[in-house]
Amino acid sequence: MGTALDVKIKRANKVYHCGEILTGVVVITSKDSIQHQGISLTMEGSVNLQLSAKSVGVFEAFCNSVKPIQLINSTVEMVKSGKLPSGKTEIPFEFPLQVKGSKILYETYHGVFVNIQYTLRCDMRRSLLAKDLTKSCEFIVHSPPQKGKPTPSPVDFTITPETLQNVKERALLPKFLIRGHLNSTNCIITQPLTGELIVVNSDAAVKSIELQLVRVETCGCAEGYARDATEIQNIQIADGDICRNLPIPIYMVFPRLFTCPTLETTNFKVEFEVNIVVLLHDDHLITENFPLKLCRM
């Protein structure tokens, strides 16, 4: 067994807000005593933007990825160079989560073209003959709660062949009537999206009804903007040719890390939409799209 380095954050859920203090311990385990050139702890937070393959040719100025936006970067020296005894050594730390100037700590978000990530990195520098040791640990930042409750924005919808867009041969579509409602498209991220759907009638048998949560990420600068929509999750709410006029509940929990409060900055945007997808037996696919606004309370 060589020398092992680990960073442990005190909070089990690893969730912090701007202004709070991260506490934890750095654990060094070794069977022999260790000579080192100093142990430091670095807190980093950045937004990494990337362009999809279809956009790269359009914006040559971007190369393949836009420069990362640094939100926070600070280093503290925990231990000056010296010697550590054999066995297990624990070094406690307290690190304030604070930004300089007018920078904002955006909420942690793992997307496809936009990635907002915060890490604590511990570095142990050693002599030329021994390899430096590094250990990183991600922590999660939540944006401050919004003041005042979001205004509920219920949406009633009716889907028929006539209401569909992007249809080339409308006359060939089977007749159907689907009604329903979403209780609100202004959503609190910690609460589910809810509503109801009813298949009033359909000439063709229904194969499946699904809820599809979509992220819409926009990256750009003065040269232009690239906007890409990708699926986060897909939930089947009905399977097979369901009874007509039977209310089907719509219920979708927003996944942690893959969603964040709706975000709009000068360089990038993160927005969300939900699709109601109805698949009929003759492979007709009916999709109705609803933009969502997510916030944290």
Side-chain angles (χ1 to χ4, degrees):
M1 179 190 124
T3 305
L5 180 67
D6 200 10
V7 182
K8 292 182 177 176
I9 293 175
K10 202 169 184 181
R11 268 185 209 173
N13 64 1
K14 296 185 179 178
V15 173
Y16 289 85
H17 297 86
C18 187
E20 290 188 331
I21 293 174
L22 269 85
T23 54
V25 288
V26 167
V27 183
I28 299 141
T29 317
S30 174
K31 63 175 182 181
D32 302 313
S33 59
I34 319 153
Q35 195 77 34
H36 66 88
Q37 312 290 317
I39 300 169
S40 62
L41 198 60
T42 304
M43 182 187 282
E44 291 177 326
S46 63
V47 183
N48 289 301
L49 305 176
Q50 198 171 331
L51 285 184
S52 60
K54 69 180 173 61
S55 309
V56 172
V58 184
F59 308 124
E60 289 301 336
F62 278 6
C63 303
N64 185 26
S65 51
V66 192
K67 275 185 183 172
I69 302 162
Q70 201 172 75
L71 304 174
I72 190 168
N73 190 328
S74 54
T75 303
V76 291
E77 188 169 40
M78 298 181 75
V79 181
K80 288 189 167 21
S81 59
K83 205 170 187 182
L84 290 175
S86 60
K88 188 176 177 183
T89 305
E90 292 195 351
I91 308 164
F93 64 82
E94 288 191 350
F95 212 139
L97 181 57
Q98 283 169 339
V99 285
K100 290 172 185 167
S102 59
K103 287 189 176 175
I104 298 166
L105 288 187
Y106 304 120
E107 182 154 325
T108 298
Y109 166 72
H110 293 186
V112 178
F113 305 109
V114 177
N115 217 37
I116 305 169
Q117 200 165 9
Y118 299 88
T119 53
L120 268 183
R121 191 185 76 241
C122 182
D123 294 297
M124 182 198 271
R125 295 179 301 284
R126 295 161 84 186
S127 63
L128 293 170
L129 298 172
K131 199 177 169 190
D132 289 358
L133 291 180
T134 297
K135 178 73 178 183
S136 288
C137 165
E138 185 180 5
F139 64 95
I140 295 155
V141 171
H142 277 179
S143 53
Q146 182 184 300
K147 292 183 176 88
K149 274 207 159 183
T151 317
S153 52
V155 174
D156 291 316
F157 57 87
T158 301
I159 311 170
T160 64
E162 290 70 44
T163 63
L164 296 179
Q165 296 172 344
N166 303 332
V167 178
K168 285 179 183 158
E169 296 170 334
R170 207 177 292 271
L172 298 177
L173 281 176
K175 292 275 178 278
F176 58 84
L177 171 59
I178 298 163
R179 283 206 178 99
H181 68 268
L182 296 175
N183 292 331
S184 181
T185 54
N186 279 349
C187 304
I188 299 170
I189 201 164
T190 51
Q191 294 177 8
L193 171 76
T194 56
E196 198 175 79
L197 179 139
I198 298 168
V199 178
V200 180
N201 58 60
S202 173
D203 288 357
V206 176
K207 215 175 189 176
S208 173
I209 302 176
E210 290 159 13
L211 285 180
Q212 188 182 51
L213 183 62
V214 172
R215 55 169 96 81
V216 183
E217 296 165 327
T218 308
C219 306
C221 62
E223 278 80 20
Y225 285 86
R227 188 174 185 271
D228 292 281
T230 49
E231 184 186 303
I232 300 173
Q233 68 179 6
N234 200 316
I235 296 172
Q236 187 179 41
I237 59 170
D239 182 25
D241 196 17
I242 52 164
C243 300
R244 306 301 184 247
N245 292 306
L246 176 74
I248 299 162
I250 289 172
Y251 189 97
M252 179 185 272
V253 174
F254 295 109
R256 191 179 179 219
L257 302 182
F258 299 112
T259 54
C260 66
T262 301
L263 187 56
E264 187 169 341
T265 74
T266 47
N267 294 87
F268 66 95
K269 283 197 289 190
V270 180
E271 299 162 299
F272 298 92
E273 297 173 351
V274 67
N275 292 328
I276 292 175
V277 182
V278 181
L279 181 64
L280 301 178
H281 255 291
D282 44 12
D283 284 341
H284 284 295
L285 192 70
I286 303 152
T287 305
E288 193 75 5
N289 175 273
F290 303 93
L292 302 175
K293 188 171 192 302
L294 304 190
C295 67
R296 188 171 288 285
M297 295 303 292

